[in-house]
Amino acid sequence: MLKTIHAFHWLWSSSCQNKRKIFFWLVLKDRLSTRELLQRRNMSLPDYCCVLCSQAPTESRDHLFLRCPFALTCCNTLHLVVPSSADLLAATVSFRQQLGLPFFMEIIVTMFWAIWSVRNDVIFRNILASVERCRSIFKTEFALVILRAKNKFHPSIDLWLEAYV
C-alpha cells in the first residue's frame, strides 16, 4: 500500500505533461487499453497477442512494460534493469533507486509513453517496431519535459542527458 501511495505522489508531483500523467495513472491502475483489458471487457479482436515481440503472450500491462523483450531492450538503453519478478509498483521503486535522480519519474513516464507510442504505431500505422524509434520518441518527449521543468532540475539533468541520451 505504501509503494502505491508513493508512486501516485511521485507521478502527480512530476513535471510531465498532464496527458502523460494521466497515461501513467492509467498504467498504474491497470486501466490502459491493452489487449488483455479489451479481452476482459469482451471486446472481440483478431488476436490478443503482444505486437512487439515474437513470444506471443497476451498483451497485458505487465507484459507490455516489464516482460516484453522489446520493452526490456528499450529500458536497457537508459541503463534501467527491470526486476524479473517485480510488479509495476516494485519496478517503479527499483527504477527510482537505479536512477537516483530527482527527475526519475519523468524518465519512467516518458519511457513508458515511448513504448506505448511504438506499440500504437505498429497497430494503427503499420510502422515496424524498433528500439531506435522508441529512443527517438523518448528524446523528443523528454525534451518537452526539460522545457517544462527548466529551473527545477538544475545541472544534474544535463549530466544525465550527456551520459544516457
Side-chain angles (χ1 to χ4, degrees), residues 1-10 28 86-94:
M1 178 71 174
L2 192 57
K3 285 190 286 190
T4 304
I5 293 168
H6 286 308
F8 287 113
H9 172 73
W10 297 331
L28 287 172
D87 62 1
L88 186 66
L89 294 171
T92 303
V93 171
S94 174

Side-chain angles (χ1 to χ4, degrees), residues 17-159:
Q17 292 175 317
N18 286 337
K19 65 182 177 180
R20 303 293 184 265
K21 289 179 183 181
I22 291 169
F23 158 78
F24 200 76
W25 176 76
L26 290 170
V27 171
L28 287 172
K29 300 286 282 177
D30 197 13
R31 294 292 179 253
L32 193 64
S33 292
T34 60
R35 291 171 176 244
E36 178 192 52
L37 182 79
L38 297 175
Q39 185 178 31
R40 285 191 320 236
R41 293 185 177 172
N42 299 318
M43 180 175 271
S44 180
L45 295 176
D47 91 46
Y48 299 95
C49 298
C50 177
V51 297
L52 298 177
C53 70
S54 58
Q55 293 181 345
T58 300
E59 181 195 78
S60 66
R61 172 199 66 178
D62 288 346
H63 170 78
L64 185 62
F65 296 111
L66 301 176
R67 310 268 185 286
C68 180
F70 178 81
L72 295 174
T73 304
C74 291
C75 288
N76 194 30
T77 64
L78 299 178
H79 301 279
L80 289 175
V81 177
V82 179
S84 59
S85 63
D87 62 1
L88 186 66
L89 294 171
T92 303
V93 171
S94 174
F95 292 154
R96 178 179 188 243
Q97 292 168 347
Q98 289 176 51
L99 289 165
L101 297 165
F103 50 92
F104 73 95
M105 199 66 187
E106 287 81 356
I107 295 169
I108 296 167
V109 171
T110 306
M111 179 50 74
F112 277 41
W113 177 261
I115 293 167
W116 183 251
S117 297
V118 169
R119 176 249 188 217
N120 286 342
D121 285 347
V122 169
I123 294 172
F124 301 114
R125 297 173 65 200
N126 212 20
I127 298 174
L128 292 176
S130 73
V131 175
E132 294 78 26
R133 178 150 173 70
C134 186
R135 192 163 168 80
S136 172
I137 293 168
F138 176 84
K139 284 181 180 182
T140 303
E141 295 296 327
F142 200 70
L144 296 174
V145 172
I146 292 169
L147 287 175
R148 288 177 58 85
K150 206 179 337 184
N151 299 325
K152 183 177 175 183
F153 296 134
H154 55 75
S156 65
I157 199 162
D158 295 326
L159 296 172

